[in-house]
């Protein structure tokens, strides 16, 4: 009789059910480990850690991503750069940076992989990891997702997004569930290179049918303000600021600013 077929090759070490990153995930007991599986069977798995001193570009965070896809080094670098610019480079906890930041993507070249599907899955996984870093931030009680729409160009969209998400007055307003129109307008107005007429600005909170918007004509409408408060009390706060100046958009993630952040950073010596 013909000899039996050879056994299938073992999975790469980091996808073995009792070794590598799955074991690390179990030992750490944390939620910031994510996995994606493509239709062609390719796996992507990653985990990340960050706490404070986090603001684009990256900073004070470590992220390791592994795959069994058959991508070469140059393909991995291109795919990772694309994913990082939509995720880790779009988060902020306290606007500070440091020298200690790393994102690594490793491949075992074990499975034939569709490149387009791989990029989509990698982008999605990195966004989940980046948002988890913000949720785990020092003193954070809420995750903020901020979208800037109607900007004049890519540069101005990102400048407006960073100005708002990094504003201590905006962050404390969200911590206190206070839909303070003036603080948001202040943060928009700080982008001096791209002045925006205040009558163009619309600030919307929430999603779908629960979405509530304020503008220069209705920012003192108490009915709208009271409808907004429950949206700002949620663990995830969604905000869109429409500028009415163009077609460009940007999305960033940040967190609120609480007393606990001050306590964690004021009473120890490095």
């Amino acid at each position: 009789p013909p000899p039996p077929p050879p056994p299938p090759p073992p999975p790469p070490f980091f996808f073995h059910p009792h070794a590598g990153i799955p074991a690390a995930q179990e030992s750490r007991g944390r939620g910031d480990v994510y996995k994606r599986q493509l239709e062609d069977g390719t796996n992507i798995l990653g985990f990340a850690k960050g706490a404070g001193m986090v603001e684009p570009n990256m900073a004070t965070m470590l992220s390791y991503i592994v795959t069994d896809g058959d991508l070469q080094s140059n393909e991995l670098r291109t795919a990772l750069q694309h994913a990082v610019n939509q995720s880790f480079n779009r988060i902020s906890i306290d606007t500070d940076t440091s020298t200690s930041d790393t994102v690594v993507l490793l491949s075992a070249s074990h499975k034939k992989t569709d490149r387009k599907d791989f990029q989509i899955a990698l982008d999605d996984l990195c966004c989940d990891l980046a948002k988890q870093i913000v949720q785990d931030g020092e003193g954070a009680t809420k995750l903020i997702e901020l979208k800037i729409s109607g900007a004049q160009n890519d540069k101005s969209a990102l400048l407006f997004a960073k100005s708002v998400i990094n504003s201590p007055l905006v962050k404390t307003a969200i911590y206190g569930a206070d839909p303070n129109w003036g603080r948001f307008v202040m943060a928009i107005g700080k982008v001096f290179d791209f002045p925006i007429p205040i009558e163009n600005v619309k600030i919307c909170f929430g999603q779908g049918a629960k979405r509530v918007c304020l503008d220069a004509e209705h920012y003192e409408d108490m009915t709208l303000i009271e409808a907004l408060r429950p949206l700002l009390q949620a663990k995830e706060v969604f905000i869109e600021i429409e500028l009415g100046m163009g077609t460009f958009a940007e999305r960033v993630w940040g967190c609120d600013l609480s007393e606990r952040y001050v306590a964690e950073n004021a009473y120890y010596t490095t």
Side-chain angles (χ1 to χ4, degrees), residues 129-232:
L129 289 172
K131 288 190 285 186
Q132 189 65 53
I133 287 176
V134 176
Q135 288 179 307
D136 290 343
E138 292 176 344
T141 71
K142 299 172 185 177
L143 172 67
I144 306 167
E145 179 174 308
L146 170 67
K147 179 181 179 181
I148 297 291
S149 62
Q152 296 151 288
N153 51 48
D154 286 331
K155 178 182 178 181
S156 66
L158 185 56
L159 286 173
F160 284 115
K162 292 179 68 173
S163 181
V164 174
I165 206 71
N166 286 333
S167 167
L169 288 177
V170 170
K171 291 158 74 73
T172 49
I174 293 173
Y175 174 61
D178 176 22
N180 192 311
W181 162 267
R183 296 189 183 187
F184 285 93
V185 171
M186 171 276 303
I188 296 167
K190 287 196 301 183
V191 184
F192 300 115
D193 291 340
F194 298 95
I196 303 291
I198 193 170
E199 60 270 18
N200 282 22
V201 176
K202 180 187 291 186
I203 305 173
C204 299
F205 301 83
Q207 294 179 305
K210 295 183 178 180
R211 182 173 156 110
V212 180
C213 299
L214 297 178
D215 57 27
E217 185 178 351
H218 301 97
Y219 72 93
E220 293 182 312
D221 187 322
M222 292 307 299
T223 301
L224 292 177
I225 291 173
E226 292 307 316
L228 285 173
R229 293 193 192 279
L231 302 177
L232 295 180

Side-chain angles (χ1 to χ4, degrees), residues 54-72:
V54 174
E55 203 269 346
N57 295 308
M58 300 196 302
T60 325
M61 52 157 282
L62 302 172
S63 180
Y64 298 94
I65 306 165
V66 293
T67 180
D68 51 6
D70 65 343
L71 287 83
Q72 301 302 309

Side-chain angles (χ1 to χ4, degrees), residues 226-248:
E226 292 307 316
L228 285 173
R229 293 193 192 279
L231 302 177
L232 295 180
Q233 291 168 348
K235 291 298 183 181
E236 293 190 32
V237 176
F238 299 92
I239 304 170
E240 179 177 0
I241 299 178
E242 301 175 6
L243 301 176
M245 298 295 288
T247 60
F248 292 85

Side-chain angles (χ1 to χ4, degrees), residues 33-56:
V33 181
Y34 291 89
K35 181 177 179 180
R36 297 290 185 275
Q37 187 172 59
L38 280 63
E39 290 186 5
D40 58 23
T42 300
N43 297 288
I44 312 174
L45 190 146
F47 67 90
K49 177 61 180 165
M53 296 182 72
V54 174
E55 203 269 346

